[in-house]
Amino acid sequence: MGADDKISNKAEELGGKVKEGAGRVTGNESLEAEGKADQSDSNLKQAGEKAKEGMKKVKDAFKS
């Protein structure tokens, strides 16, 4: 996972938290749901990147 990907995913996660909070405060259920969805997308991307890193480490371990 590159630094750019990490920053982008964290920014998306934080943006989702802001949307969720704004939706909750204003009573806008749609905005709140959109914020939760943004956070979920970000978490899935982060998990995928971590899985790729793990597979690379396993692959590198067999090369040694």
Side-chain angles (χ1 to χ4, degrees):
M1 176 184 265
D4 291 341
D5 291 334
K6 286 182 181 180
I7 292 169
S8 176
N9 289 337
K10 272 297 178 185
E12 184 176 1
E13 181 181 357
L14 291 174
K17 287 181 181 186
V18 169
K19 280 184 185 178
E20 180 184 3
R24 189 178 302 123
V25 168
T26 61
N28 185 336
E29 293 177 2
S30 177
L31 185 60
E32 185 176 354
E34 187 178 328
K36 288 180 182 181
D38 288 350
Q39 290 175 69
S40 293
D41 288 346
S42 173
N43 289 334
L44 285 173
K45 288 177 188 176
Q46 290 177 42
E49 290 295 329
K50 287 179 182 179
K52 282 195 268 185
E53 285 179 356
M55 292 305 292
K56 184 178 182 315
K57 287 180 182 179
V58 168
K59 182 180 169 185
D60 290 345
F62 281 105
K63 285 183 180 179
S64 300

